[in-house]
């Protein structure tokens, strides 16, 4: 426990429970009291390609050496500069 932590709590209401008293508390506050990390986790996009097909299989793909015909669908690479980044 975080013994050096001083918190001023105020009750904002009561909640009836089937087995007696119950305390609802904010997760960040509970983690501070228990001396756990309060860091937030944000999802990471591991998809390297855009969802839209850029060239369908069999289409001509322009290149500097002349058109290329692919046997597979081609997707554009994902531009990570367009992603939202969160700084704490």
């Amino acid at each position: 426990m975080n013994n050096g932590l001083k918190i001023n709590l105020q009750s904002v209401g009561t909640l009836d429970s089937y087995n007696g008293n119950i305390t609802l508390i904010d997760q960040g506050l509970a983690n501070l009291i228990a001396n756990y990390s309060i860091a937030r986790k944000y999802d990471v996009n591991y998809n390297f390609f855009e969802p839209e097909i850029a060239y369908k299989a069999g289409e001509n793909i322009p290149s500097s050496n002349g058109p290329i015909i692919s046997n597979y669908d081609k997707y554009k690479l994902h531009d990570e500069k367009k992603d939202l980044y969160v700084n704490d």
Side-chain angles (χ1 to χ4, degrees):
M1 291 294 247
N2 197 344
N3 295 330
L5 190 63
K6 303 224 184 294
I7 299 174
N8 239 347
L9 292 179
Q10 179 181 5
S11 175
V12 294
T14 37
L15 179 66
D16 291 329
S17 170
Y18 67 92
N19 65 347
N21 295 334
I22 186 170
T23 302
L24 294 179
I25 189 169
D26 176 71
Q27 178 183 358
L29 179 59
N31 285 343
L32 281 173
I33 292 170
N35 207 21
Y36 294 138
S37 171
I38 56 169
R40 302 276 187 230
K41 178 190 174 295
Y42 296 99
D43 291 332
V44 177
N45 182 2
Y46 291 108
N47 189 358
F48 299 107
F49 300 99
E50 294 295 338
E52 301 85 26
I53 297 174
Y55 297 100
K56 287 217 156 278
E59 285 184 6
N60 285 338
I61 302 171
S63 82
S64 57
N65 297 333
I68 300 169
I69 299 175
S70 174
N71 294 330
Y72 306 100
D73 292 339
K74 298 289 184 185
Y75 297 84
K76 289 186 179 178
L77 287 174
H78 179 72
D79 183 5
E80 67 178 23
K81 294 176 189 161
K82 295 179 182 175
D83 288 344
L84 174 67
Y85 289 97
V86 179
N87 291 325
D88 286 339

